[in-house]
Amino acid sequence: MNNLKRSFVIFYALIIYALAELVWWGYLLVKMMPSSLAMILGEGSIFIVVFLAGAYSLHKSINQERKLQEQKKNFLLSVTHELKSPLASIKILLQTIQKRDLSKEQVLNFINKSLMDIERLDDMVENMLLASKIDNQSYTFPKDKFSLSVLVDSIVNRLQITKCEGTQQIIDAEIEPKIEITGDKFALTSVVTNLIENAIKYSGPCETVGVKLFSKEGRIFLEVADHGIGIADQEKSRIFDKFYRVGSEDTRNTKGTGLGLYIVKEVLDKHQASIKVKDNRPVGSIFEVVFD
């Protein structure tokens, strides 16, 4: 980051120096050839316009690089936290099983919690690997025909948990049976998982997430709706950028790496599918995926 700040200082210093030199040499030329004033001013103006356009373009590039570096830094911090949290939980649960005389029911409960944390780690690692392969274009997206209904149902069941006195299910699913699709099952599993996990993450502790899968007029629709914090209009066009996360890094409380929605968009593009985010009513967001 210090290198980028130094680059900005040098960049602006060079611009100021170049403009000062241009004005000085222009002044000398006008003084030497007063009759060429119009020509000097005309060519000087064109040069200044071209110079400032190039400087602005370079400024944008440097600024984008600075933002990317900040996002990468935040990504590394997020990954570190995402790894440490479930690992610490698994360690405590296993140590408790090892050191205490627990009933069989308690042991099974602790094992189930450990497995949930392991699945969370597995999802995160799969996201990072898939994002890396997409970036370096080493992933080929092999496509086969499979049941999207079964896929979505299995992911919902895996992510389904109960909260609020242990009775309320967090995911309310409406899945039309026997919907088949030709695509990359592994990559589309990541798409569905990321969308549902994202909805859960940004929802309140007792809010229900809605998942709908249905076909209409020859197209397949997947909708994931939450009643969470919502997404501002100015951020809707950026949420699919790599490392981008909604809100300020200083005030954000939600976990994540900023890769989930990036993977979703990239995978859907490879399947000629579209995704858009809409406002839910009264609050929250709806992610709508359409397979043509």
Side-chain angles (χ1 to χ4, degrees), residues 275-292:
I275 182 169
K276 62 181 178 180
V277 57
K278 304 181 292 186
D279 293 330
N280 201 1
R281 303 298 180 190
V283 291
S285 303
I286 301 174
F287 284 82
E288 182 186 68
V289 177
V290 181
F291 295 92
D292 291 317

Side-chain angles (χ1 to χ4, degrees), residues 117-180:
D117 282 323
I118 291 171
E119 286 177 349
R120 176 178 158 192
L121 285 171
D122 186 54
D123 286 342
M124 185 176 64
V125 171
E126 292 289 0
N127 268 353
M128 289 189 289
L129 288 174
L130 184 54
S132 177
K133 290 178 180 179
I134 290 172
D135 275 351
N136 59 34
Q137 298 181 344
S138 64
Y139 193 73
T140 57
F141 294 92
K143 296 178 181 179
D144 298 294
K145 192 172 184 179
F146 65 93
S147 172
L148 186 60
S149 300
V150 172
L151 175 67
V152 175
D153 185 60
S154 65
I155 294 171
V156 167
N157 289 332
R158 180 168 69 84
L159 298 178
Q160 184 72 269
I161 58 175
T162 56
K163 16 174 59 178
C164 301
E165 301 178 355
T167 58
Q168 180 176 336
Q169 291 191 326
I170 193 171
I171 305 174
D172 179 19
E174 297 179 21
I175 302 171
E176 183 179 317
K178 299 181 180 180
I179 291 181
E180 294 191 337

Side-chain angles (χ1 to χ4, degrees), residues 62-292:
I62 295 176
N63 201 38
Q64 287 174 353
E65 181 63 23
R66 178 183 62 81
K67 289 181 179 179
L68 182 61
Q69 292 298 325
E70 288 178 354
Q71 289 175 333
K72 286 182 177 179
K73 177 185 174 183
N74 292 327
F75 166 74
L76 291 173
L77 292 174
S78 298
V79 168
T80 301
H81 180 270
E82 288 282 276
L83 287 171
K84 287 182 68 175
S85 180
L87 285 174
S89 175
I90 293 169
K91 183 178 179 180
I92 291 172
L93 290 168
L94 293 179
Q95 285 177 336
T96 303
I97 293 173
Q98 183 183 49
K99 295 178 180 180
R100 294 189 180 181
D101 185 18
L102 303 175
S103 66
K104 183 178 179 180
E105 183 179 347
Q106 289 175 316
V107 171
L108 290 175
N109 182 40
F110 282 11
I111 290 175
N112 285 333
K113 288 181 179 179
S114 297
L115 288 173
M116 288 178 62
D117 282 323
I118 291 171
E119 286 177 349
R120 176 178 158 192
L121 285 171
D122 186 54
D123 286 342
M124 185 176 64
V125 171
E126 292 289 0
N127 268 353
M128 289 189 289
L129 288 174
L130 184 54
S132 177
K133 290 178 180 179
I134 290 172
D135 275 351
N136 59 34
Q137 298 181 344
S138 64
Y139 193 73
T140 57
F141 294 92
K143 296 178 181 179
D144 298 294
K145 192 172 184 179
F146 65 93
S147 172
L148 186 60
S149 300
V150 172
L151 175 67
V152 175
D153 185 60
S154 65
I155 294 171
V156 167
N157 289 332
R158 180 168 69 84
L159 298 178
Q160 184 72 269
I161 58 175
T162 56
K163 16 174 59 178
C164 301
E165 301 178 355
T167 58
Q168 180 176 336
Q169 291 191 326
I170 193 171
I171 305 174
D172 179 19
E174 297 179 21
I175 302 171
E176 183 179 317
K178 299 181 180 180
I179 291 181
E180 294 191 337
I181 192 171
T182 299
D184 182 345
K185 188 175 182 180
F186 169 76
L188 289 174
T189 298
S190 182
V191 167
V192 179
T193 300
N194 277 312
L195 287 175
I196 297 177
E197 284 187 336
N198 204 59
I200 294 172
K201 186 190 307 176
Y202 286 98
S203 295
C206 289
E207 294 290 350
T208 300
V209 169
V211 176
K212 292 183 180 180
L213 177 68
F214 59 94
S215 58
K216 183 179 180 182
E217 298 177 352
R219 299 193 294 173
I220 298 171
F221 292 79
L222 172 66
E223 293 182 354
V224 179
D226 65 67
H227 298 88
I229 60 175
I231 301 172
D233 289 338
Q234 62 268 25
E235 291 192 288
K236 287 176 181 174
S237 62
R238 302 181 60 195
I239 57 174
F240 298 104
D241 293 346
K242 190 176 183 181
F243 301 133
Y244 186 78
R245 298 175 65 207
V246 174
S248 166
E249 292 293 341
D250 298 325
T251 59
R252 184 184 295 109
N253 295 318
T254 54
K255 305 170 186 176
T257 61
L259 289 178
L261 291 179
Y262 164 75
I263 290 173
V264 166
K265 184 67 169 63
E266 291 294 319
V267 171
L268 292 176
D269 284 347
K270 296 295 184 181
H271 288 79
Q272 288 75 52
S274 63
I275 182 169
K276 62 181 178 180
V277 57
K278 304 181 292 186
D279 293 330
N280 201 1
R281 303 298 180 190
V283 291
S285 303
I286 301 174
F287 284 82
E288 182 186 68
V289 177
V290 181
F291 295 92
D292 291 317

